[in-house]
Amino acid sequence: MEAQVPTNQMYDIVEWTSSDDPLLESLGRIAQSVERATTLDQLLHLSLIELTRLCRADRAIALLKDVQGRAVWVCEYPQSGDAPELTLDAISGAADAMRLRRPIIVHPQEQALLARDVRVLLVAPLIARDETLGALAICSAHATRTFDSKDVALIRALSGQIALVIMSHRSCESVERRTQELKTLNDIASVVTSTLDTREVYRLVVQQLSDYFHVEAGSLLLVDEATGDLEFVMTIEGGEEKLAGFRVPAGQGVVGHVVRTGRWEIVHDVSRDPRFYRQISEATGFSTRSILCVPMIAKGRVIGAIELLNKIGGDFDEEDALRLMRMAAFIAVAIENARLFQQVTAGRDRMASVLRSTADGILMADMRGEIQIANPLAVEICGCPEESLIGRRIDDVVAELYARAHDITTPSWSQEVAVPAQISDLAFASGAHRYVRLIRLPVYDAQNEPRGELLILRDITQERDLEQLREDYTSMLVHDLRAPLTSIMNGVMMLQRGIVGPVTEQQQELLKIAYQGSQTMLHLINTLLDISKMEQGRMDLDLKPLPIFSVIDQAIERLQHLASSRGVTIEQRLAPYLPPVEIDGEKIVRVLQNLLDNAIKFSPAQGVVTIGAFLAGGTHAPPDDVPVHVTFNDSRDYLVVWVQDRGPGIPPAYFQRIFEKFGQVRGRKVRGTGLGLTFCRLAVEAHGGRIWVESEEGAGSVFAFALPING
């Protein structure tokens, strides 16, 4: 159906027709050229044709500024394919016309285009929106040709219109390039946000850039933080991926220079550039002619580079470099984020695997005390689904565990842990018995700032069962040994007294050795029984106020023979006026006996063992010359007793271990049962005191214990 013309509006459609006036006809053709031109080159070519006709010239040249602001010859009519390129300085008057912003006529003796048979020319600046874009040069080969004011006015008017159209074309091209650039970046961003595969991100980046800049090959290289080398993570040549695993040593090649300086680089002819790293091209057989390379900068540091090779249909220019730099800034951030996200994801997966496979239940809470992480074993111990644990306050979960437990104990060693921690052993009786050790720890970041809490739920049921089995077996064994050992000792004693007949002196010596060995074994058995009773809280103490002097004298008397046999001297450094202390005398004598026995055994020949005592705590300051350091958490008075030897010393790692049952320092030639210090610890703790060791390897050891004066 034909379009209807509105009845209230009349239209006159006017077609262009030729005119009898040559000037108007030329202007009309120029206007039509402007309308028909789809590219800047086409516009300039058609305009120059009409200008040569209109001005009766032999040649017309158009010069436009490049990105550096220099004017270069971009179009000529008639074309001279074998002529060298002309720059601003090659045409007399062009620079002056652009500087003065008005047309200039160059006389024959002043112009410099004799090689082109030019005798006179008219140069007019191309100005649009107060910006000088370039210049038009109208040339004549006839020396008699002159340009009058009419020609100047005509060229000035036409150059202004042509300049406007040039600016319009440039604006359109810039918008189109920017649109394509944004589309490319948008495509890259879409892949980055939709995939965790960094290799896919690399492939898309290189493919998009190769298509956008029309190159034969493109590469993405990342810096190896460990070596500084540049690794080809992706190269696309002819649509195929290549160069996987290839590396450029740190600082080598054009790409190494770009990464080191952080600036883009264009190489138009690699054969003339000594920086070109030829090993890659030789290994792949790819012929590299030109290179555009820009750095990828993320968070202020160069993480890699983008390298484009052999631009199709032209050369790389500064505008290409600036566009690629803009795109590289976005790509660098996208790649860095993709890498970081993959690292975080991989770390999260590894952490989840560890949490699933660990033998401990783990609950992690944030700064608000709300649980963020719960592994399967923690879910099982807490007896509720994971989704109900996440988000709950960790204090509430701990309170529920305490409420469910029928027995709660605190390990004796928990106060000696290096890091601040809440440690409790919980016994559950629902169904089969179960023991759980609850360890509550603060969580700190790399800057030692608090970030939350960690709750470890360790199933110690098997450990407790084995410990109970060992205790039961030891108790049974000790009880069963005590009766026959007593019988053996009685029999030896009767033989010594000659009840069954006379005994020679040699036989008496052998019986004495047997009796002493039996006494040692009986002492060991009694120690085991006492330790077992004290651990179970069943040891009765016969407490009496006793002077510490007499207790120390008893212990020294029992070990004087051993000390003399080893050439060791025992000296005393007791503070005066020490008050009596309420103790079980026999137990404390045995404590001192064990400490002195160890000191004598580990002292060198002709060595000295020192035993001392002083008051500390409350209003009493320890003497300055004692070899121990004491601190108390209350205001009570304490009697501190210490034993010092000059032996090999004890490594710090064994300070707690030696007070445990059968705990000994490895590698020592002199070895005992590993029960003496355990008895000492339990006996002192039963009196409400504490025992500790201070030692330095190679400088001897000091064992000390503190007993409260008043209960």
Side-chain angles (χ1 to χ4, degrees), residues 47-85:
S47 298
L48 293 182
I49 291 175
E50 296 304 328
L51 284 174
T52 54
R53 293 177 183 172
L54 182 62
C55 299
R56 302 182 307 282
D58 298 299
R59 187 175 304 278
I61 301 172
L63 298 101
L64 297 180
K65 285 184 179 180
D66 60 11
V67 290
Q68 288 89 11
R70 301 170 301 184
V72 295
W73 173 51
V74 295
C75 191
E76 178 186 19
Y77 178 81
Q79 295 181 354
S80 301
D82 57 346
E85 288 188 355

Side-chain angles (χ1 to χ4, degrees), residues 164-335:
L164 284 172
V165 178
I166 291 173
M167 179 168 282
S168 176
H169 269 271
R170 281 186 167 179
S171 297
C172 291
E173 289 179 353
S174 177
V175 170
E176 189 174 334
R177 285 194 300 268
R178 187 61 177 164
T179 301
Q180 183 61 34
E181 181 179 328
L182 292 175
K183 181 181 180 301
T184 301
L185 294 177
N186 183 63
D187 292 342
I188 294 172
S190 298
V191 171
V192 170
T193 55
S194 63
T195 180
L196 301 179
D197 186 357
T198 53
R199 185 172 176 276
E200 179 64 19
V201 174
Y202 301 153
R203 188 195 65 78
L204 176 76
V205 166
V206 177
Q207 186 63 63
Q208 292 282 355
L209 293 179
S210 298
D211 294 341
Y212 178 80
F213 287 95
H214 305 290
V215 296
E216 294 181 5
S219 296
L220 187 67
L221 300 95
L222 295 180
V223 176
D224 186 330
E225 299 292 344
T227 63
D229 295 347
L230 287 161
E231 181 182 0
F232 284 86
V233 296
M234 181 57 62
T235 295
I236 294 183
E237 175 194 333
E240 297 182 2
E241 298 178 13
K242 296 186 177 182
L243 294 182
F246 277 79
R247 287 174 172 259
V248 176
Q252 296 292 313
V254 176
V255 68
H257 173 78
V258 167
V259 169
R260 185 176 66 254
T261 61
R263 299 177 180 177
W264 58 266
E265 192 74 29
I266 294 176
V267 178
H268 293 292
D269 187 356
V270 297
S271 63
R272 299 182 180 181
D273 195 317
R275 298 171 302 178
F276 177 55
Y277 190 73
R278 305 179 184 279
Q279 285 84 335
I280 301 296
S281 295
E282 292 173 356
T284 59
F286 180 79
S287 176
T288 303
R289 300 185 300 276
S290 59
I291 298 175
L292 168 59
C293 187
V294 302
M296 290 193 300
I297 303 175
K299 299 178 182 178
R301 64 185 183 91
V302 179
I303 65 168
I306 298 173
E307 192 176 55
L308 303 180
L309 307 179
N310 303 348
K311 185 175 181 179
I312 300 172
D315 297 325
F316 294 115
D317 55 30
E318 185 175 353
E319 189 173 354
D320 291 332
L322 294 177
R323 285 206 302 272
L324 187 55
M325 278 293 292
R326 289 196 302 269
M327 301 171 80
F330 170 82
I331 292 169
V333 174
I335 288 177

Side-chain angles (χ1 to χ4, degrees), residues 12-18 32:
D12 292 328
I13 300 175
V14 180
E15 298 289 345
W16 168 257
T17 57
S18 60
Q32 283 187 323

